[in-house]
Amino acid sequence: MKQEFIITIYSENHIGLLNRITINFTKRKMNIESLTVSESAIRGISKFTIVVNEEEDRVKKVVGQLEKVVEVLKAFYHTNDEMVFQEIALYKVQTDTLYDSDQVERLVRKAGARILEITREYTVIEKTGHKEETQELFEALNQFGVLQFIRSGRVAITRDPIERLSEFLMERDNLLSQVD
């Protein structure tokens, strides 16, 4: 049964790595719903956060293939329950809609969003939350005409007390010290 999984990949930052990672999904005809890359808590290590809607056995296989990519240190997959995650969305509406009625202001307050910038022509609103929440605000604001809309990829951290890569690196270092 298909469900949403969050795949995290840790690597050093190398040119062309994103292509080598995404080709693993393309070969398996697996659609990436969201992809975010940033620095991790470990200096010099990048963290890829990829969201897919797929069967667990297929996700497990792609994670195994990802770990064969030379620059990848380690890859993991998680369910949504194992992660804390958010997305950010920006909405641009005409400023006149704020003056014509207080409905837009009420929508912003009710959604827990905030106004980032107001000019004579447009107002930019920011909402952080899960995809369903940011989409709901889009649909509500679109009654008044959304000029532009963008949603980020998912950012996520595990509910574990320590970064799983840190555990992996400690285990690896212990094994290497036993070999010496």
Side-chain angles (χ1 to χ4, degrees):
M1 183 173 89
K2 286 188 177 186
Q3 72 178 73
E4 199 168 75
F5 288 96
I6 302 170
I7 298 171
T8 51
I9 303 165
Y10 296 90
S11 74
E12 293 179 4
N13 193 1
H14 290 280
I15 294 171
L17 180 57
L18 179 59
N19 183 51
R20 288 191 296 284
I21 287 173
T22 57
I23 201 76
N24 280 284
F25 293 89
T26 305
K27 282 193 272 186
R28 288 163 185 75
K29 295 182 170 62
M30 202 179 285
N31 190 44
I32 294 174
E33 302 291 331
S34 167
L35 184 143
T36 307
V37 184
S38 72
E39 295 177 33
S40 73
I42 301 168
R43 186 182 175 113
I45 304 297
S46 294
K47 181 178 181 178
F48 292 74
T49 305
I50 300 172
V51 178
V52 296
N53 192 0
E54 194 52 72
E55 295 171 3
E56 185 173 9
D57 62 322
R58 293 195 60 198
V59 172
K60 202 179 286 188
K61 286 177 186 173
V62 79
V63 166
Q65 290 300 308
L66 290 166
E67 288 189 331
K68 293 179 182 179
V69 175
V70 173
E71 297 88 352
V72 171
L73 298 171
K74 191 72 177 152
F76 302 95
Y77 72 95
H78 308 274
T79 63
N80 287 339
D81 293 340
E82 297 171 309
M83 304 289 278
V84 176
F85 58 93
Q86 294 284 287
E87 296 179 0
I88 185 171
L90 299 177
Y91 315 80
K92 185 187 283 185
V93 297
Q94 290 182 350
T95 299
D96 290 346
T97 60
L98 291 167
Y99 293 118
D100 294 344
S101 151
D102 65 346
Q103 286 183 298
V104 171
E105 181 187 351
R106 276 195 261 145
L107 285 171
V108 169
R109 288 177 189 267
K110 182 181 174 195
R114 66 186 189 125
I115 295 174
L116 291 182
E117 180 174 274
I118 300 175
T119 71
R120 291 176 197 248
E121 295 82 29
Y122 64 84
T123 298
V124 177
I125 300 163
E126 171 195 66
K127 167 73 177 143
T128 303
H130 292 170
K131 184 176 181 179
E132 299 78 21
E133 296 168 312
T134 58
Q135 186 65 33
E136 184 179 315
L137 181 57
F138 170 77
E139 290 166 8
L141 287 172
N142 208 24
Q143 301 173 66
F144 304 96
V146 173
L147 302 172
Q148 291 182 37
F149 171 71
I150 186 74
R151 182 178 22 245
S152 72
R154 183 174 294 181
V155 291
I157 57 176
T158 65
R159 295 186 187 275
D160 297 335
I162 187 171
E163 186 80 75
R164 290 186 66 192
L165 180 64
S166 298
E167 291 174 343
F168 167 76
L169 293 174
M170 285 187 289
E171 289 171 10
R172 185 189 70 178
D173 290 347
N174 287 338
L175 284 172
L176 291 174
S177 67
Q178 292 172 5
V179 172
D180 292 338

